[in-house]
Amino acid sequence: MDQEFDYVVVGGGTAGCAVAARLSEDPDVTVCLVEAGPSDVGDDAILDLSRWMELLESGYDWDYPIEPQESGNSWMRHARAKVLGGCSSHNSAIAFWAPRENLDAWAAQGCDGWTADECYPFYKKLETALDGAEQADAPGRGTDGPVTIRTVGDQDPCGEALLEACEEVGLPTTPFNTGRTVIRGANWFQVNANPDGTRSSASTAYIHPNLDRPNLSVWTGYRAEKLTFDTSGEKPRATGVRLRTPDQRRSVDITATRETILSAGAIDGPKLLMLSGIGPAEHLREVGIDVLVDSPGVGENLQDHPEGLVQWEALQEMPVVSTQWWQIGIFAGSEGRETPDLMYHYGSVPFDMNIVRYGYPTADNTFCLTPNVTGAQSKGTVRLSSRDFHDKPKVDPRYFSHEHDREVMIRGIRVAREIAASPALKEWVGRELAPGESAQTDEELFDYIRNTHNTVYHPSCTVKMGPDSDPLAPVDPQLRVRGVDGLRVADGSIMPDLITVNPCITTMMIGERCADFIRREA
């Protein structure tokens, strides 16, 4: 069963699909894409975007608990997709290019080659934008990429009233993805979805059309146990990956003669590196793993977008059909900022998964605003719980351990209430179900947040790239893992800092860039 390929991509997720598809465009190389979850081909539970919330805590979800939180919701779960396409097959498909300021900040930290001017052509390469006239200062939208981007256009009278209410409080309707960074404004989201309501995920865009390529092999159901290395030379060289077969009965090794690319995400990526002996030496020894490379930054720097909830009963009937139920974005950044520090998603369905435990009322006909801290300063870790690859890692986001995040979230609840009190929403806003009118002081609001907050499911930055001078940067700006040869990382874990918008399309861009680095060097 053991096989040999030129390139092995470990993780068939948002970035991994892009890497594998682009590398296999060269007919003279062989590529194997390995995914632990099942295929999504023909699976309406995955492909129908309107059903995305059914996937949370389902069989398609690794469903990671988090470590007890001193300042956050210890009951919270981190959804990580267990299916071809990764989180692009599992999320609400909100599509943003990263703000120019975010990417330029990466480059300023020593990530040469990652300015906005250098990254934006790769966004353009991956997308086909179906709507939206190009602005004069826009970076240029793609026209023939594999990923379809379009603006949500559902009939939602409550959403239309919400945009009017935002105007009334100084948050004007503003186009997204034009090249301008929106600090304060609102609009319907752009999504990576087809006009028929199906996902334009990394798997449907990059892999499905290319399944008949003779040089591309897609292995689903194979779970990675560890990366393999040849240690006979001066520096260890990655040789591929050891996999557990779908029936769980045996292990097989597949060999990468040129390079192995790890695209397992910000939780499973550092886990697999550590299981393979690359990580903080002291921690590896604690769990009984031989140290191959002492890389203290592996599993550090975990960043996320924490999310709160303000939910109301609706006085009129909410929509019963939707593209993906979370269709409007609102930016309410503090004045004087270059990027927004506060963002909302508008939900036209009940979102009570974290509030019923504490007795907050719910209803069938509701809408909500979910403030999230876009530039959270709290940083956490991913650590192994044991040397057994079956065991879930220890995920400790350390939510709200930084005062900045608390202040932004409290302001987020107050601004949400201000929007709801605007005349345009008078015919829609009923009783505030959560946090409820009795919560008014900063202390009362943060007590509610600490107990009930969620996440926008954007864990990132745990294998960050950086210059040679940064001892906590496990990968260099070409995404090569330091201390070994033949191994790169390409997924959201390589971000030095989490961007201030939904990162799915940026993660695809990272996959595009990784493939480009490899092909240029080859």
Side-chain angles (χ1 to χ4, degrees), residues 201-225:
S201 62
S203 52
T204 63
Y206 285 100
I207 301 301
H208 292 195
N210 300 309
L211 285 170
D212 59 351
R213 279 184 185 167
N215 64 332
L216 174 62
S217 299
V218 180
W219 291 18
T220 55
Y222 287 83
R223 187 170 180 183
E225 297 182 20

Side-chain angles (χ1 to χ4, degrees), residues 266-334:
I267 293 178
D268 285 292
K271 174 189 173 183
L272 193 55
L273 285 171
M274 288 186 284
L275 287 172
S276 309
I278 302 175
E282 183 177 354
H283 172 61
L284 298 184
R285 294 188 184 106
E286 286 175 352
V287 294
I289 293 175
D290 292 335
V291 178
L292 183 70
V293 177
D294 180 9
S295 185
V298 172
E300 287 288 330
N301 196 43
L302 173 61
Q303 299 179 37
D304 190 21
H305 291 148
E307 178 180 71
L309 171 72
V310 187
Q311 185 156 270
W312 298 270
E313 280 188 299
L315 297 179
Q316 300 183 54
E317 184 176 359
M318 296 297 294
V320 295
V321 177
S322 174
T323 298
Q324 43 79 295
W325 308 103
W326 298 82
Q327 303 191 125
I328 289 175
I330 304 168
F331 293 97
S334 302

Side-chain angles (χ1 to χ4, degrees), residues 169 310 312 344 369 411-422 429 432 434-441 445 448:
V169 300
V310 187
W312 298 270
Y344 300 83
L369 293 177
R411 177 164 59 86
I413 293 179
R414 297 195 187 283
V415 173
R417 286 172 165 174
E418 181 183 3
I419 294 170
S422 297
V429 176
E432 182 182 299
E437 295 181 359
S438 62
Q440 294 295 330
T441 68
L445 292 178
Y448 163 76

Side-chain angles (χ1 to χ4, degrees), residues 75-90:
W75 295 95
M76 206 201 77
R77 317 286 294 192
H78 252 298
R80 295 287 86 193
K82 184 166 57 174
V83 64
L84 188 65
C87 290
S88 73
S89 291
H90 204 272

